[in-house]
Amino acid sequence: MAKLLVVDDEANIRLLYSQELSDEGYQVVTAGSALEAVEKLESESFDLAVIDIKLKNESGIELLQRIVKERHTIPVILCTAFSCYKDDFSAWLADGYVVKSSDLQELKDEIARVLAKRQRLSQP
Amino acid sequence: MKAVIMAGGFGTRMQPLTCNIPKPMVPLMNRPIMLHIVELLKKYGVTDLVMLLYHQPSVIKNFFRDGADLGVRITYVTPLEDMGTAGAVKCAEKYLDERFLIISGDLLTDFNLQKVIDFHEANKALSTITLTSVKDPLQFGVVITDKEKRITQFLEKPGWGEVISDTINTGIYVLEPEIFKYIPEGENFDFSQDLFPLLLKKKAPLFGFPVKGYWRDIGNTDSYREAHHDILKGKVSVKVDEPRREMAGVDLRVGLDVRLGEGTVVEGTVVVGDNSQIQGGAEIKDTVIGRNCIIEPGVKLTRVVVWDNAYIKKGAKVVDCVICNNVSVGTATVMEEGGVIADDTAIGEESYIKRDVKIWPRKLIEAGSTVTGNLIWGERWKKSLFEGEMIKGLTNIELTPEFVAKLGCAYGTSLPKGSHVLVGRDTTLSSRMLKRSFLGGILSAGVNVRDIRMVSLPILRYKLRTFGEVGGVHFRQSLEDPATTEIVFLDADGLDFSSSMGKNIERIFYKENFRRAHHMEPGGITELPQVMDFYREGFFRGVDQQLIRGSRPKVVVDFNHSPAGQILPQILNDLGCEVIGLNTYLDEQRGSKTVDEKPNSLQQLAKIVMTLEARAGFWLDPTVEEVVLVDETGRICQPEEFLALMTLLMVKTGARGAFAVPVSAPSVIEEIAQENGCSVRRTKSMDRSMIEAAISPEVVMAGSMAGRFAFPKFQAAFDGMFTIAKTIELSCATGVPLSRVLKEVPKSSFLQGKVPCVWEKKGGIMRKMSEDSLDKEASFIDGIKVSFGNDWVLVLPDQYQPVIHVVAEAKDPKTAQKLLEEYMQKVERWKKELAQ
């Protein structure tokens, strides 16, 4: 069972993602801020992180950069209400980019794609 | 009564039939077209002939000679320059002192010429033009006459709006010698354009006489095939040399010494020239076969014109095509309607020649090929487009803009509609030209393009690792041949295309099964100007910046005019390096350096490194993937030494994990790795195999035997720019000169050799090698590697060249040499055995 870290500053979103992704068979851990996410990343291991770009006063992209620098083996999917960040080169460090929508299928598909890719690539 | 036969045309529209012979000599029912004209003239008592030649006159003269064999008298006139039709006749003025008839040497007609001559005489005409009615008068000269058949108007190649008659000029004229008064000497003068309008203006007696009968201008290859169809259907009667053989329900004409095998099925009208063989079980319908041809069993020919010395092998199926002299058609080949195979071409077995494809002379079509387009310039049509991850071919000869646009259509079709692909190129104008054609093809399939323009391959790969694009394509010039363009295809992860991905595109390309976007939904082109910044950021994260800054190393880099010259000098400067850049400027006209220039460039680089007392020198290849290292003493490292050095530097500076190297790499890599608690993963020699291994999280470095390195912490792809920075960083970290580290590399002797070997024998050689290795310790990852304790030898067939590689490594040079020679001799011996 793949273990996911969902980072979003909105509690309802965290709840929604947590339930939906758990129903998909994932083990889901949530964090409400970049700091909380870093703490969890230091204490637990994850297979994938889903990060909102706008985290109150923090930037999801900075968190992404930190993960890439310190734990480059964890794939990251950026999840945002804005499509404009697709053109921001800092966002290109991510493995996936999903524009938030009421239909969570795109996010689920992207998680499945990135995990499958990672699994395929890690096979000797 | 004399006649002038116009036989000077180049036959450009008849190519490739006329590549080797002038148009009037193209065979029609196994006889030159012009011979039918001579016979028509003779039939109406015109035996004093003037032949007006221009293009390849000797071919015509050698055939007709003085005409005595044919019962006519021939005078040849060859103007020295193109004088136009009437101007050329003027050159023959001295032979034309009585009424004469003019006719083209490339017509098929059964007109009653006597009626034209009689009409001319009865009307006391100066000039009579023979007219006929055709369904489509657009491509001819329309002629309008009054009730007395006097010509009142000419319309040369009219548009439909101008067509007021279907009566056209057939190119057959009866003229009086006085006509020469109207033709200026030494000037380009045309009958239709100049002479007849002049006569009209001068109100000279100019008549047009309509004639009923068969008339066809054999002006192009379609018309040529149709002329045969008409003869075979009996629409027009022409003389056939081969005598009729009695066979119920079939019009069979067979020449001397023809063999018709048992079970041959013949239908309709079939002509077989002297000394040809049709072997049992062939099916021949409405077909003309020339002399000295061999048609093997099971061949099906329907409405085919075969010239001389053709060899059509078992099971080939040909419909409505022309096969010229000295052509071989491979077993089970299929040729669709409208094909023309010109002289001296060999088509390999099981090939598929699509509809209307024309193949110019002296081509080689590889077995199993599907030929979809006309083959004019290149020498061969390859069975498969892809060579590994790339398509390569001669720029503007094999890879033409139209070919590449079609390739773009095929690639776009293989991708989801509305998806994005990343496209870049090297510095050359050729790459830019072909890339632009390719983009048009992609867009037509409804796929979007992100054009990052002039960029090195590693940067393109780096962007592809992120989201947003489903694939990438890079255009560059080949290092081996500057006239060759390489199109490198990458998947969504920036990895080289696998063979199955290439096959998918080939299938679409050959079937022309393209997806065409709705006119409102073609793809769009955008640019990604931030790609360089993105790459630069990642680059800085991948190296120990502080360490390098602290050492302030001086290095020399030969950038080879590659796109790396735009970005790497600044990166190295920002890292605190003192960089002496050679060949940093871009040169679109000149392109990159070739392989031949490499040794000189390396010598110069070595000299500069020593003179400037630099820490190292780096030669970066134009693809920005391969690096040659020169140490601080000016010593140029061999690729296998560089690989061992990098492994040693990595372990010395604390790297722990696995090293991915090809089977052919020296075993000292294992020695170095294992002594330091690391492991080695042996891979196939293909770049993709090494990179696939590099993606695995525990791999810290992948290195090829050609100076290519990938450092997965930055990117799992060969990157010459990062290799340079990483080498500098590792060198700073050890704190000792590179030459001293090189001395620590365990010594062994490593030798490589090549044995030329044709493709067909490669499998046999490897079978013999595996039999030879039965009682030895052998591995079969890539080729066959046999170990003798710490020494080993590898026999590896090259994937793209007709070559077998032999690699040997041993502790002492003598043993390595002995192993290499022994196995090269074995391969040579097996080659001979396989030939028997």
Side-chain angles (χ1 to χ4, degrees), chain A residues 64-66 68-70 72-73 76 78 85-97 110 113 117-118 120-124, chain B residues 450 462-467 491-493 495 528-535 537-538 541 681 688 692-693 695-698 712-713:
Chain A
L64 163 72
Q65 286 184 327
R66 193 160 172 185
V68 169
K69 196 170 180 183
E70 293 167 9
H72 73 278
T73 53
V76 176
L78 288 178
Y85 288 100
K86 267 188 179 175
D87 297 329
D88 182 335
F89 78 81
S90 303
W92 298 346
L93 283 171
D95 295 82
Y97 188 101
E110 191 64 2
R113 185 189 68 80
K117 179 178 154 188
R118 188 51 59 118
R120 181 166 47 87
L121 298 181
S122 62
Q123 280 166 352
Chain B
R450 288 184 176 148
Y462 191 69
K463 171 65 187 90
L464 277 173
R465 282 177 54 229
T466 73
F467 61 85
D491 67 13
D493 300 320
L495 287 179
L528 286 184
Q530 296 186 87
V531 165
M532 293 289 191
D533 297 330
F534 175 61
Y535 178 81
E537 283 235 333
R541 265 198 306 277
R681 279 198 192 171
R688 186 181 168 97
E692 276 178 345
I695 289 166
S696 191
E698 64 267 32
K713 196 185 166 194

Side-chain angles (χ1 to χ4, degrees), chain B residues 569-583:
Chain B
Q570 190 58 47
I571 289 179
L572 293 179
N573 283 330
D574 291 349
L575 285 171
C577 298
E578 188 182 339
V579 183
I580 297 96
L582 311 175
N583 303 316

Side-chain angles (χ1 to χ4, degrees), chain B residues 7 11 45 83 142 258 382 411-412 427 432 441 466 488 580 618 642 649 656 682 761:
Chain B
M83 305 299 294
V142 172
V258 166
K382 292 171 190 163
Y411 178 56
T427 57
R432 184 167 73 170
T466 73
V488 183
I580 297 96
F618 301 94
F642 192 16
L649 284 170
R656 293 296 174 263
R682 291 278 172 173
K761 284 188 193 159

Side-chain angles (χ1 to χ4, degrees), chain B residues 533-834:
Chain B
D533 297 330
F534 175 61
Y535 178 81
R536 194 196 313 269
E537 283 235 333
F539 200 105
F540 286 138
R541 265 198 306 277
V543 290
D544 189 336
Q545 298 179 55
Q546 275 190 331
L547 181 72
I548 300 174
R549 280 200 191 95
S551 302
R552 292 200 58 78
K554 185 199 282 182
V555 292
V556 186
V557 183
D558 184 345
F559 288 94
N560 256 315
H561 310 286
S562 68
Q566 284 184 311
I567 180 169
L568 188 59
Q570 190 58 47
I571 289 179
L572 293 179
N573 283 330
D574 291 349
L575 285 171
C577 298
E578 188 182 339
V579 183
I580 297 96
L582 311 175
N583 303 316
T584 45
Y585 64 95
L586 301 175
D587 189 347
E588 288 188 337
Q589 300 292 338
R590 186 176 177 279
S592 53
K593 288 185 181 177
T594 60
V595 171
D596 307 339
E597 295 170 77
K598 188 175 170 183
N600 273 341
S601 302
L602 287 173
Q603 291 299 336
Q604 291 213 341
L605 175 66
K607 208 187 287 177
I608 294 167
V609 168
M610 281 190 297
T611 310
L612 298 178
E613 295 180 347
R615 183 183 287 254
F618 301 94
W619 181 92
L620 188 58
D621 88 321
T623 65
V624 193
E625 290 187 320
E626 182 188 326
V627 175
V628 178
L629 174 72
V630 174
D631 72 14
E632 81 287 351
T633 66
R635 180 160 176 268
I636 301 161
C637 287
Q638 293 305 306
E640 66 272 11
E641 284 180 310
F642 192 16
L643 180 58
L645 173 77
M646 289 301 278
T647 312
L648 186 56
L649 284 170
M650 288 286 283
V651 295
K652 268 179 172 285
T653 52
R656 293 296 174 263
F659 292 88
V661 294
V663 177
S664 55
S667 50
V668 295
I669 308 291
E670 266 96 353
E671 263 183 69
I672 297 167
Q674 282 157 11
E675 272 176 21
N676 293 277
C678 295
S679 62
V680 173
R681 279 198 192 171
R682 291 278 172 173
T683 73
K684 291 185 179 183
S685 306
M686 283 171 66
D687 287 357
R688 186 181 168 97
S689 304
M690 275 175 265
I691 293 306
E692 276 178 345
I695 289 166
S696 191
E698 64 267 32
V699 171
V700 290
M701 185 189 91
S704 81
M705 287 294 289
R708 294 163 180 231
F709 294 89
F711 300 90
K713 196 185 166 194
F714 171 55
Q715 77 160 327
F718 295 132
D719 185 337
M721 292 185 284
F722 194 78
T723 299
I724 291 172
K726 194 72 188 171
T727 311
I728 295 169
E729 179 212 285
L730 295 173
S731 155
C732 295
T734 54
V736 289
L738 286 170
S739 63
R740 283 215 350 237
V741 186
L742 265 169
K743 278 185 189 151
E744 291 177 40
V745 172
K747 292 286 166 280
S748 75
S749 192
F750 185 85
L751 300 171
Q752 302 185 67
K754 280 182 195 174
V755 182
C757 176
V758 293
W759 288 97
E760 300 82 59
K761 284 188 193 159
K762 281 185 179 179
I765 297 281
M766 295 317 286
R767 174 172 47 80
K768 296 233 175 227
M769 177 67 188
S770 59
E771 286 165 6
D772 187 76
S773 314
L774 277 177
D775 53 349
K776 301 182 181 81
E777 189 192 334
S779 79
F780 297 83
I781 296 172
D782 198 16
I784 299 173
K785 184 176 179 180
V786 185
S787 301
F788 305 92
N790 289 327
D791 308 336
W792 56 266
V793 67
L794 169 72
V795 175
L796 176 66
D798 193 284
Q799 212 172 350
Y800 308 115
Q801 304 288 324
V803 159
I804 301 261
H805 298 279
V806 181
V807 186
E809 189 189 20
K811 276 287 164 199
D812 73 289
K814 273 189 185 167
T815 311
Q817 189 63 38
K818 195 172 147 241
L819 270 178
L820 184 78
E821 279 170 14
E822 183 190 336
Y823 274 82
M824 283 179 76
Q825 280 164 10
K826 277 187 180 182
V827 174
E828 289 287 5
R829 194 177 72 234
W830 293 333
K831 264 168 61 182
K832 281 181 195 148
E833 286 171 14
L834 288 166

